[in-house]
């Protein structure tokens, strides 16, 4: 059965890619597209907006008005909008795929409560390659253990509004969990001035912002005499789009619960 998909943030960088990715997936069909209520694009054709030609789906200004029209909502917007959408989908029993990053602690707790009744897949990065890297990082951290210093460097385009990236933080969590450390306690976000010598237990994060970089992540395991680096480079947002649509099709067949891309790819 075809899965009916709604895309919110439809005019955004990821929104347009998601509309195209849905059109490329034989199991899914775009049946709703949403933007901000104040958007000048309300009423525009979603297919045209994504550069695909007309698909007959007009952009609307809120999720509530199209709740009957979709099975799964894909949401790559901003935390406040995703929270409001999660409350609407939670109440209506609609599944969600959440790609938005940058939630604060309070928003994370609110989100958890809103999505309790439904199936959702949330991931800081929907690309297959990055999710494979999570698996490799777990293995590397377990083999290299406490003999190495771990540093994470990420680079993104100049428009990205949160740092470090959600993917870099997820990579930090994978390594910290494998080493039995609490990332909240050992993370060091940037260094400046007289920082003193490095403490072995810390996990350092460095952020680069510029141009049109889609997303680069490198985790360095630095020992005396050698260094292992695990790097992922995204060259197109379609890597996230394809993964998110695959996740939406998967979510439509799941019972209520919180899932991630590792579940979708069977990597757990
Ligand atoms: P973007 O180009 O700014 O797109 C966000 C879109 O959401 C914009 O069109 C924005 O409209 C719209 N929006 C804001 N409030 C809304 C609301 N209340 N209802 C509906 N739409 C609303 O950003 P992006 O690069 O696509 O990234 C979006 C999010 O996805 C970010 O959090 C980013 O970090 C994340 N992301 C995740 C992954 C992953 O794999 N998990 C990959 C890439 C990006 P206006 O511009 O009019 O405000």
């Amino acid at each position: 059965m075809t899965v009916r998909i709604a895309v919110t943030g439809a005019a955004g960088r990821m929104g347009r890619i998601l509309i195209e990715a849905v059109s490329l997936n034989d199991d899914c069909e775009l049946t709703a597209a949403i933007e901000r209520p104040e958007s000048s694009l309300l009423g525009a054709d979603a297919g045209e907006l994504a550069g695909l030609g007309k698909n007959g789906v007009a952009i609307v200004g809120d999720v509530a008005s199209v709740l009957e029209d979709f099975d799964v909502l894909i949401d790559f917007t901003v935390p406040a909008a995703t929270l409001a959408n999660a409350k609407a989908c939670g109440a209506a029993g609609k599944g969600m795929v959440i790609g938005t990053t940058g939630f604060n602690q309070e928003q994370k707790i609110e989100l958890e409560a809103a999505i309790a009744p439904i199936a959702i897949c949330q991931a800081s990065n929907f690309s297959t390659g990055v999710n494979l890297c999570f698996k490799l990082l777990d293995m590397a951290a377990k083999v290299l253990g406490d003999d190495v210093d771990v540093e994470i460097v990420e680079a993104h385009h100049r428009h990205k509004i949160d740092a470090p990236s959600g993917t870099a933080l997820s990579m930090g969590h994978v390594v910290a969990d494998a080493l039995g450390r609490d990332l909240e306690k050992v993370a060091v976000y940037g260094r400046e001035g007289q920082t003193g010598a490095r403490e072995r237990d810390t996990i350092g994060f460095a952020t680069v912002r510029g141009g049109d970089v889609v997303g680069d992540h490198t985790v360095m395991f630095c020992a005396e005499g050698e260094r292992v680096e695990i790097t992922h480079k995204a060259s197109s947002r379609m890597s996230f789009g394809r993964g998110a649509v695959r996740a939406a099709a998967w979510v439509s067949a799941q019972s209520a619960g919180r899932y991630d891309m590792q579940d979708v790819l069977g990597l757990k």
Side-chain angles (χ1 to χ4, degrees), residues 7-16 18 34-41 60-63 75-82 84-85 98-103 122-127 131 156-157 159-162 165-167 214 237 239-241 244:
V7 170
T8 186
R13 281 177 289 267
M14 276 307 299
R16 292 169 200 243
L18 287 161
I34 304 113
E35 249 303 321
R36 277 191 309 127
E38 310 81 28
S39 172
S40 59
L41 292 163
V60 298
D62 75 82
V63 169
D75 187 328
F76 283 58
T77 57
V78 292
T82 303
N85 294 335
I98 299 177
T100 307
T101 60
F103 292 92
Q122 183 176 16
S124 57
N125 194 308
F126 278 93
S127 99
N131 282 277
H156 280 86
H157 54 88
H159 304 288
K160 186 163 175 63
I161 56 171
D162 53 320
S165 71
T167 304
V214 175
R237 289 188 178 82
S239 59
F240 313 129

Short mmCIF file of all heavy atoms in Angstrom, two decimals, residues 7-16 18 34-41 60-63 75-82 84-85 98-103 122-127 131 156-157 159-162 165-167 214 237 239-241 244, ligand 1:
data_model
loop_
_atom_site.label_atom_id
_atom_site.label_comp_id
_atom_site.label_asym_id
_atom_site.label_seq_id
_atom_site.Cartn_x
_atom_site.Cartn_y
_atom_site.Cartn_z
N VAL A 7 5.07 16.80 3.89
CA VAL A 7 6.39 17.41 4.16
C VAL A 7 6.14 18.82 4.69
O VAL A 7 5.45 19.62 4.05
CB VAL A 7 7.25 17.48 2.87
CG1 VAL A 7 8.49 18.34 3.11
CG2 VAL A 7 7.65 16.09 2.42
N THR A 8 6.68 19.11 5.88
CA THR A 8 6.59 20.48 6.39
C THR A 8 7.95 21.16 6.27
O THR A 8 8.97 20.48 6.19
CB THR A 8 6.03 20.53 7.83
OG1 THR A 8 5.85 21.91 8.17
CG2 THR A 8 6.94 19.86 8.82
N GLY A 9 7.92 22.49 6.25
CA GLY A 9 9.14 23.22 5.90
C GLY A 9 9.40 23.03 4.42
O GLY A 9 10.54 23.00 3.94
N ALA A 10 8.28 22.90 3.65
CA ALA A 10 8.34 22.47 2.25
C ALA A 10 9.22 23.36 1.36
O ALA A 10 9.78 22.89 0.38
CB ALA A 10 6.92 22.40 1.67
N ALA A 11 9.33 24.63 1.74
CA ALA A 11 10.12 25.55 0.89
C ALA A 11 11.57 25.63 1.34
O ALA A 11 12.38 26.32 0.71
CB ALA A 11 9.49 26.94 0.92
N GLY A 12 11.91 24.95 2.42
CA GLY A 12 13.28 25.01 2.94
C GLY A 12 14.25 24.21 2.09
O GLY A 12 13.85 23.51 1.15
N ARG A 13 15.54 24.31 2.43
CA ARG A 13 16.57 23.56 1.69
C ARG A 13 16.23 22.07 1.71
O ARG A 13 16.21 21.41 0.67
CB ARG A 13 17.95 23.80 2.31
CG ARG A 13 18.58 25.11 1.94
CD ARG A 13 19.91 25.29 2.65
NE ARG A 13 19.72 25.52 4.07
CZ ARG A 13 19.62 26.74 4.63
NH1 ARG A 13 19.73 27.81 3.89
NH2 ARG A 13 19.43 26.86 5.92
N MET A 14 15.94 21.53 2.89
CA MET A 14 15.62 20.10 2.98
C MET A 14 14.21 19.82 2.47
O MET A 14 13.94 18.78 1.88
CB MET A 14 15.77 19.61 4.43
CG MET A 14 17.18 19.23 4.82
SD MET A 14 17.95 18.06 3.69
CE MET A 14 16.87 16.64 3.81
N GLY A 15 13.27 20.75 2.71
CA GLY A 15 11.89 20.54 2.27
C GLY A 15 11.80 20.24 0.79
O GLY A 15 11.13 19.29 0.36
N ARG A 16 12.50 21.04 0.00
CA ARG A 16 12.45 20.84 -1.47
C ARG A 16 13.06 19.49 -1.86
O ARG A 16 12.55 18.77 -2.74
CB ARG A 16 13.20 21.97 -2.17
CG ARG A 16 12.49 23.31 -2.02
CD ARG A 16 13.37 24.47 -2.48
NE ARG A 16 12.90 25.72 -1.92
CZ ARG A 16 12.44 26.75 -2.62
NH1 ARG A 16 12.40 26.70 -3.93
NH2 ARG A 16 12.04 27.86 -2.03
N LEU A 18 13.16 16.88 0.06
CA LEU A 18 12.26 15.81 0.53
C LEU A 18 11.12 15.59 -0.46
O LEU A 18 10.72 14.45 -0.72
CB LEU A 18 11.71 16.16 1.92
CG LEU A 18 12.74 16.02 3.05
CD1 LEU A 18 12.29 16.80 4.28
CD2 LEU A 18 12.97 14.56 3.40
N ILE A 34 3.47 21.67 3.75
CA ILE A 34 3.15 22.73 4.72
C ILE A 34 4.33 23.70 4.83
O ILE A 34 5.49 23.29 4.75
CB ILE A 34 2.87 22.11 6.12
CG1 ILE A 34 1.76 21.06 6.01
CG2 ILE A 34 2.50 23.19 7.14
CD1 ILE A 34 2.17 19.67 6.25
N GLU A 35 4.00 24.97 5.00
CA GLU A 35 5.02 25.99 5.28
C GLU A 35 4.54 26.84 6.45
O GLU A 35 3.46 26.61 6.99
CB GLU A 35 5.27 26.85 4.03
CG GLU A 35 6.65 26.62 3.40
CD GLU A 35 7.83 26.87 4.35
OE1 GLU A 35 7.78 27.82 5.14
OE2 GLU A 35 8.81 26.12 4.29
N ARG A 36 5.31 27.85 6.83
CA ARG A 36 4.89 28.76 7.89
C ARG A 36 3.58 29.45 7.51
O ARG A 36 3.38 29.76 6.33
CB ARG A 36 5.95 29.83 8.12
CG ARG A 36 7.06 29.36 9.01
CD ARG A 36 7.96 30.48 9.44
NE ARG A 36 8.44 31.30 8.36
CZ ARG A 36 8.32 32.62 8.33
NH1 ARG A 36 7.67 33.25 9.30
NH2 ARG A 36 8.84 33.31 7.35
N PRO A 37 2.70 29.73 8.49
CA PRO A 37 1.42 30.38 8.16
C PRO A 37 1.62 31.73 7.46
O PRO A 37 0.77 32.13 6.66
CB PRO A 37 0.75 30.60 9.52
CG PRO A 37 1.51 29.78 10.51
CD PRO A 37 2.82 29.39 9.93
N GLU A 38 2.75 32.39 7.71
CA GLU A 38 2.98 33.71 7.10
C GLU A 38 3.68 33.59 5.74
O GLU A 38 3.97 34.61 5.10
CB GLU A 38 3.89 34.59 7.99
CG GLU A 38 3.49 34.69 9.46
CD GLU A 38 3.95 33.48 10.26
OE1 GLU A 38 4.96 32.87 9.91
OE2 GLU A 38 3.25 33.13 11.25
N SER A 39 4.00 32.39 5.30
CA SER A 39 4.78 32.23 4.07
C SER A 39 4.07 32.81 2.84
O SER A 39 2.86 32.64 2.67
CB SER A 39 5.08 30.74 3.84
OG SER A 39 5.66 30.57 2.58
N SER A 40 4.85 33.44 1.98
CA SER A 40 4.29 33.99 0.74
C SER A 40 4.00 32.87 -0.26
O SER A 40 3.42 33.10 -1.33
CB SER A 40 5.28 34.98 0.13
OG SER A 40 6.49 34.31 -0.13
N LEU A 41 4.40 31.64 0.07
CA LEU A 41 4.27 30.53 -0.88
C LEU A 41 3.00 29.70 -0.66
O LEU A 41 2.79 28.70 -1.36
CB LEU A 41 5.49 29.62 -0.78
CG LEU A 41 6.78 30.28 -1.28
CD1 LEU A 41 8.00 29.53 -0.78
CD2 LEU A 41 6.77 30.35 -2.79
N VAL A 60 0.05 24.50 2.24
CA VAL A 60 -0.88 25.08 3.23
C VAL A 60 -0.07 25.62 4.42
O VAL A 60 1.13 25.34 4.55
CB VAL A 60 -1.92 24.03 3.72
CG1 VAL A 60 -2.77 23.56 2.57
CG2 VAL A 60 -1.22 22.86 4.41
N GLY A 61 -0.76 26.36 5.31
CA GLY A 61 -0.06 27.09 6.37
C GLY A 61 -0.05 26.41 7.73
O GLY A 61 0.53 26.95 8.67
N ASP A 62 -0.72 25.25 7.85
CA ASP A 62 -0.58 24.52 9.14
C ASP A 62 -0.96 23.05 8.99
O ASP A 62 -1.74 22.69 8.10
CB ASP A 62 -1.36 25.20 10.27
CG ASP A 62 -2.84 24.97 10.16
OD1 ASP A 62 -3.30 23.90 10.61
OD2 ASP A 62 -3.53 25.85 9.62
N VAL A 63 -0.37 22.24 9.87
CA VAL A 63 -0.55 20.79 9.79
C VAL A 63 -1.99 20.40 10.10
O VAL A 63 -2.54 19.48 9.49
CB VAL A 63 0.44 20.09 10.76
CG1 VAL A 63 0.10 18.62 10.92
CG2 VAL A 63 1.86 20.23 10.25
N ASP A 75 9.38 16.17 9.01
CA ASP A 75 9.55 17.52 9.54
C ASP A 75 11.04 17.86 9.69
O ASP A 75 11.73 17.32 10.56
CB ASP A 75 8.83 17.59 10.91
CG ASP A 75 8.80 18.99 11.49
OD1 ASP A 75 9.74 19.77 11.24
OD2 ASP A 75 7.82 19.30 12.20
N PHE A 76 11.51 18.72 8.81
CA PHE A 76 12.87 19.28 8.92
C PHE A 76 12.67 20.80 8.97
O PHE A 76 12.71 21.47 7.93
CB PHE A 76 13.73 18.94 7.69
CG PHE A 76 14.27 17.54 7.63
CD1 PHE A 76 13.44 16.44 7.65
CD2 PHE A 76 15.64 17.32 7.52
CE1 PHE A 76 13.94 15.14 7.56
CE2 PHE A 76 16.16 16.03 7.44
CZ PHE A 76 15.31 14.94 7.45
N THR A 77 12.37 21.34 10.15
CA THR A 77 12.10 22.77 10.24
C THR A 77 12.93 23.39 11.35
O THR A 77 14.17 23.40 11.26
CB THR A 77 10.59 23.03 10.45
OG1 THR A 77 10.13 22.34 11.62
CG2 THR A 77 9.77 22.59 9.26
N VAL A 78 12.25 23.93 12.36
CA VAL A 78 12.91 24.52 13.54
C VAL A 78 12.27 23.90 14.77
O VAL A 78 11.10 23.47 14.71
CB VAL A 78 12.77 26.06 13.56
CG1 VAL A 78 13.56 26.71 12.43
CG2 VAL A 78 11.30 26.48 13.48
N PRO A 79 12.98 23.84 15.91
CA PRO A 79 12.44 23.13 17.08
C PRO A 79 11.03 23.55 17.49
O PRO A 79 10.18 22.69 17.74
CB PRO A 79 13.48 23.45 18.17
CG PRO A 79 14.76 23.58 17.41
CD PRO A 79 14.37 24.28 16.13
N ALA A 80 10.73 24.86 17.53
CA ALA A 80 9.41 25.29 18.00
C ALA A 80 8.31 24.75 17.07
O ALA A 80 7.26 24.30 17.54
CB ALA A 80 9.35 26.81 18.07
N ALA A 81 8.55 24.78 15.76
CA ALA A 81 7.56 24.29 14.80
C ALA A 81 7.40 22.78 14.93
O ALA A 81 6.28 22.25 14.92
CB ALA A 81 7.98 24.66 13.38
N THR A 82 8.51 22.06 15.07
CA THR A 82 8.45 20.60 15.19
C THR A 82 7.67 20.19 16.44
O THR A 82 6.88 19.24 16.41
CB THR A 82 9.88 20.01 15.23
OG1 THR A 82 10.58 20.42 14.05
CG2 THR A 82 9.86 18.49 15.29
N ALA A 84 5.23 21.87 17.93
CA ALA A 84 3.80 22.10 17.68
C ALA A 84 3.26 20.99 16.78
O ALA A 84 2.17 20.45 17.03
CB ALA A 84 3.60 23.47 17.02
N ASN A 85 4.02 20.59 15.76
CA ASN A 85 3.58 19.53 14.86
C ASN A 85 3.49 18.18 15.57
O ASN A 85 2.61 17.37 15.29
CB ASN A 85 4.54 19.42 13.66
CG ASN A 85 4.49 20.66 12.80
OD1 ASN A 85 3.50 21.37 12.78
ND2 ASN A 85 5.58 20.93 12.08
N ILE A 98 11.43 12.96 12.16
CA ILE A 98 11.91 14.27 12.62
C ILE A 98 13.41 14.41 12.33
O ILE A 98 14.24 13.65 12.84
CB ILE A 98 11.66 14.44 14.14
CG1 ILE A 98 10.16 14.37 14.42
CG2 ILE A 98 12.25 15.77 14.64
CD1 ILE A 98 9.79 14.45 15.89
N GLY A 99 13.72 15.41 11.48
CA GLY A 99 15.12 15.68 11.16
C GLY A 99 15.62 16.97 11.78
O GLY A 99 16.83 17.22 11.80
N THR A 100 14.70 17.79 12.29
CA THR A 100 15.08 19.07 12.91
C THR A 100 16.11 18.84 14.01
O THR A 100 15.99 17.88 14.78
CB THR A 100 13.82 19.72 13.54
OG1 THR A 100 12.80 19.78 12.55
CG2 THR A 100 14.13 21.11 14.08
N THR A 101 17.10 19.71 14.08
CA THR A 101 18.10 19.61 15.16
C THR A 101 18.06 20.89 16.00
O THR A 101 17.38 21.85 15.65
CB THR A 101 19.52 19.42 14.59
OG1 THR A 101 19.84 20.56 13.77
CG2 THR A 101 19.63 18.15 13.77
N GLY A 102 18.80 20.87 17.11
CA GLY A 102 18.95 22.08 17.92
C GLY A 102 17.92 22.24 19.02
O GLY A 102 17.73 23.35 19.53
N PHE A 103 17.26 21.15 19.44
CA PHE A 103 16.30 21.23 20.56
C PHE A 103 17.05 21.51 21.87
O PHE A 103 18.09 20.88 22.12
CB PHE A 103 15.54 19.91 20.72
CG PHE A 103 14.61 19.60 19.59
CD1 PHE A 103 15.04 18.84 18.52
CD2 PHE A 103 13.31 20.08 19.60
CE1 PHE A 103 14.19 18.56 17.46
CE2 PHE A 103 12.44 19.80 18.54
CZ PHE A 103 12.89 19.04 17.47
N GLN A 122 13.45 9.63 14.73
CA GLN A 122 14.20 10.88 14.85
C GLN A 122 15.68 10.56 14.70
O GLN A 122 16.19 9.61 15.29
CB GLN A 122 13.95 11.52 16.22
CG GLN A 122 14.65 12.87 16.37
CD GLN A 122 14.33 13.56 17.69
OE1 GLN A 122 13.83 12.93 18.63
NE2 GLN A 122 14.62 14.84 17.77
N ALA A 123 16.36 11.33 13.89
CA ALA A 123 17.80 11.13 13.71
C ALA A 123 18.45 12.46 13.43
O ALA A 123 17.87 13.32 12.77
CB ALA A 123 18.06 10.17 12.55
N SER A 124 19.63 12.64 13.96
CA SER A 124 20.38 13.87 13.69
C SER A 124 20.91 13.83 12.26
O SER A 124 21.27 14.86 11.69
CB SER A 124 21.54 14.02 14.67
OG SER A 124 22.36 12.88 14.57
N ASN A 125 20.94 12.64 11.67
CA ASN A 125 21.44 12.51 10.30
C ASN A 125 20.81 11.26 9.67
O ASN A 125 20.93 10.17 10.21
CB ASN A 125 22.97 12.38 10.32
CG ASN A 125 23.55 12.57 8.95
OD1 ASN A 125 23.13 11.92 7.99
ND2 ASN A 125 24.52 13.46 8.83
N PHE A 126 20.12 11.45 8.55
CA PHE A 126 19.39 10.34 7.93
C PHE A 126 20.19 9.64 6.84
O PHE A 126 19.67 8.75 6.19
CB PHE A 126 18.05 10.84 7.37
CG PHE A 126 16.98 10.93 8.44
CD1 PHE A 126 16.76 12.10 9.13
CD2 PHE A 126 16.24 9.82 8.79
CE1 PHE A 126 15.80 12.18 10.13
CE2 PHE A 126 15.28 9.87 9.79
CZ PHE A 126 15.06 11.06 10.45
N SER A 127 21.45 10.02 6.64
CA SER A 127 22.19 9.36 5.56
C SER A 127 22.64 7.95 5.99
O SER A 127 22.98 7.73 7.15
CB SER A 127 23.40 10.20 5.13
OG SER A 127 24.58 9.73 5.73
N ASN A 131 25.11 6.71 9.31
CA ASN A 131 24.66 5.69 10.25
C ASN A 131 25.60 4.49 10.28
O ASN A 131 25.80 3.89 11.33
CB ASN A 131 23.21 5.31 9.96
CG ASN A 131 22.27 6.38 10.50
OD1 ASN A 131 21.96 6.37 11.69
ND2 ASN A 131 21.90 7.32 9.66
N HIS A 156 29.96 22.81 8.11
CA HIS A 156 28.68 22.97 7.42
C HIS A 156 28.61 24.33 6.73
O HIS A 156 29.39 25.23 7.04
CB HIS A 156 27.50 22.86 8.40
CG HIS A 156 27.14 21.46 8.75
ND1 HIS A 156 27.76 20.77 9.77
CD2 HIS A 156 26.23 20.60 8.20
CE1 HIS A 156 27.25 19.55 9.84
NE2 HIS A 156 26.32 19.42 8.90
N HIS A 157 27.62 24.47 5.87
CA HIS A 157 27.36 25.72 5.14
C HIS A 157 27.12 26.90 6.09
O HIS A 157 26.78 26.72 7.26
CB HIS A 157 26.14 25.53 4.23
CG HIS A 157 24.92 25.02 4.97
ND1 HIS A 157 24.03 25.86 5.57
CD2 HIS A 157 24.49 23.76 5.23
CE1 HIS A 157 23.08 25.14 6.16
NE2 HIS A 157 23.35 23.86 5.96
N HIS A 159 24.76 28.94 6.47
CA HIS A 159 23.40 29.24 6.95
C HIS A 159 23.00 28.43 8.17
O HIS A 159 21.97 28.68 8.76
CB HIS A 159 22.37 28.98 5.84
CG HIS A 159 22.65 29.73 4.58
ND1 HIS A 159 22.48 31.10 4.48
CD2 HIS A 159 23.15 29.33 3.39
CE1 HIS A 159 22.84 31.50 3.28
NE2 HIS A 159 23.25 30.45 2.60
N LYS A 160 23.81 27.44 8.52
CA LYS A 160 23.40 26.56 9.63
C LYS A 160 23.36 27.35 10.93
O LYS A 160 24.29 28.10 11.24
CB LYS A 160 24.36 25.36 9.75
CG LYS A 160 23.90 24.36 10.78
CD LYS A 160 24.58 23.02 10.61
CE LYS A 160 24.21 22.04 11.73
NZ LYS A 160 22.77 21.73 11.73
N ILE A 161 22.27 27.17 11.74
CA ILE A 161 22.09 28.06 12.90
C ILE A 161 22.46 27.42 14.23
O ILE A 161 22.42 28.09 15.25
CB ILE A 161 20.64 28.61 12.98
CG1 ILE A 161 19.61 27.48 13.02
CG2 ILE A 161 20.34 29.55 11.80
CD1 ILE A 161 18.18 27.95 13.31
N ASP A 162 22.77 26.11 14.26
CA ASP A 162 23.14 25.50 15.54
C ASP A 162 24.53 24.87 15.43
O ASP A 162 24.98 24.50 14.35
CB ASP A 162 22.10 24.45 15.99
CG ASP A 162 21.80 23.40 14.93
OD1 ASP A 162 21.71 23.76 13.74
OD2 ASP A 162 21.69 22.22 15.27
N SER A 165 27.02 20.46 15.19
CA SER A 165 25.89 19.84 14.49
C SER A 165 25.31 18.70 15.32
O SER A 165 26.00 18.08 16.14
CB SER A 165 26.37 19.28 13.15
OG SER A 165 27.18 18.14 13.37
N GLY A 166 24.03 18.41 15.08
CA GLY A 166 23.40 17.30 15.77
C GLY A 166 24.14 15.99 15.48
O GLY A 166 24.26 15.12 16.35
N THR A 167 24.68 15.85 14.28
CA THR A 167 25.42 14.63 13.91
C THR A 167 26.71 14.52 14.72
O THR A 167 27.06 13.43 15.21
CB THR A 167 25.76 14.66 12.41
OG1 THR A 167 24.54 14.81 11.68
CG2 THR A 167 26.47 13.39 11.98
N VAL A 214 27.88 20.89 2.55
CA VAL A 214 26.65 20.16 2.90
C VAL A 214 26.76 19.53 4.28
O VAL A 214 25.82 19.55 5.08
CB VAL A 214 26.33 19.09 1.82
CG1 VAL A 214 25.12 18.25 2.23
CG2 VAL A 214 26.08 19.75 0.48
N ARG A 237 22.30 16.95 -0.36
CA ARG A 237 21.27 16.76 0.68
C ARG A 237 20.36 15.58 0.34
O ARG A 237 19.59 15.14 1.19
CB ARG A 237 20.42 18.03 0.82
CG ARG A 237 21.16 19.17 1.48
CD ARG A 237 20.27 20.36 1.79
NE ARG A 237 21.05 21.38 2.46
CZ ARG A 237 21.84 22.26 1.84
NH1 ARG A 237 21.92 22.25 0.53
NH2 ARG A 237 22.54 23.13 2.54
N SER A 239 21.17 12.64 0.12
CA SER A 239 21.51 11.51 1.00
C SER A 239 20.61 11.52 2.24
O SER A 239 20.17 10.47 2.71
CB SER A 239 22.99 11.56 1.40
OG SER A 239 23.27 12.77 2.08
N PHE A 240 20.30 12.72 2.77
CA PHE A 240 19.39 12.82 3.93
C PHE A 240 17.95 12.58 3.47
O PHE A 240 17.16 11.91 4.16
CB PHE A 240 19.46 14.21 4.57
CG PHE A 240 20.85 14.73 4.81
CD1 PHE A 240 21.22 15.99 4.37
CD2 PHE A 240 21.80 13.95 5.48
CE1 PHE A 240 22.50 16.48 4.58
CE2 PHE A 240 23.08 14.44 5.69
CZ PHE A 240 23.43 15.70 5.24
N GLY A 241 17.60 13.14 2.31
CA GLY A 241 16.23 13.06 1.81
C GLY A 241 15.81 11.61 1.56
O GLY A 241 14.75 11.17 2.00
N ALA A 244 15.35 9.81 4.84
CA ALA A 244 14.16 10.24 5.59
C ALA A 244 12.89 9.64 5.00
O ALA A 244 11.99 9.22 5.73
CB ALA A 244 14.07 11.76 5.61
P1 LIG B 1 15.83 25.84 6.11
O1 LIG B 1 16.25 25.92 4.69
O2 LIG B 1 15.86 27.09 6.96
O3 LIG B 1 14.36 25.23 6.12
C1 LIG B 1 13.49 25.26 7.20
C2 LIG B 1 12.12 25.54 6.66
O4 LIG B 1 11.15 25.43 7.70
C3 LIG B 1 12.02 26.98 6.10
O5 LIG B 1 11.36 26.96 4.85
C4 LIG B 1 11.17 27.68 7.16
O6 LIG B 1 10.43 28.76 6.64
C5 LIG B 1 10.25 26.53 7.56
N1 LIG B 1 9.51 26.78 8.78
C6 LIG B 1 9.85 27.52 9.85
N2 LIG B 1 8.84 27.52 10.75
C7 LIG B 1 7.85 26.75 10.22
C8 LIG B 1 6.55 26.37 10.65
N3 LIG B 1 6.05 26.81 11.81
N4 LIG B 1 5.80 25.57 9.85
C9 LIG B 1 6.27 25.15 8.65
N5 LIG B 1 7.50 25.50 8.18
C10 LIG B 1 8.27 26.28 8.95
O7 LIG B 1 16.68 24.77 6.90
P2 LIG B 1 17.23 23.35 6.38
O8 LIG B 1 18.64 23.47 5.97
O9 LIG B 1 16.25 22.73 5.44
O10 LIG B 1 17.24 22.54 7.75
C11 LIG B 1 16.07 22.36 8.52
C12 LIG B 1 16.39 21.54 9.78
O11 LIG B 1 16.78 20.23 9.38
C13 LIG B 1 17.57 22.08 10.61
O12 LIG B 1 17.29 21.86 11.98
C14 LIG B 1 18.76 21.24 10.16
O13 LIG B 1 19.78 21.15 11.13
C15 LIG B 1 18.05 19.91 9.97
N6 LIG B 1 18.72 18.96 9.08
C16 LIG B 1 18.74 17.67 9.50
C17 LIG B 1 19.29 16.70 8.69
C18 LIG B 1 19.19 15.25 9.14
O14 LIG B 1 19.60 14.35 8.39
N7 LIG B 1 18.63 15.00 10.33
C19 LIG B 1 19.86 17.03 7.45
C20 LIG B 1 19.83 18.37 7.05
C21 LIG B 1 19.24 19.33 7.86
P3 LIG B 1 11.10 30.25 6.72
O15 LIG B 1 12.38 30.19 5.98
O16 LIG B 1 10.05 31.07 6.05
O17 LIG B 1 11.28 30.54 8.18
#
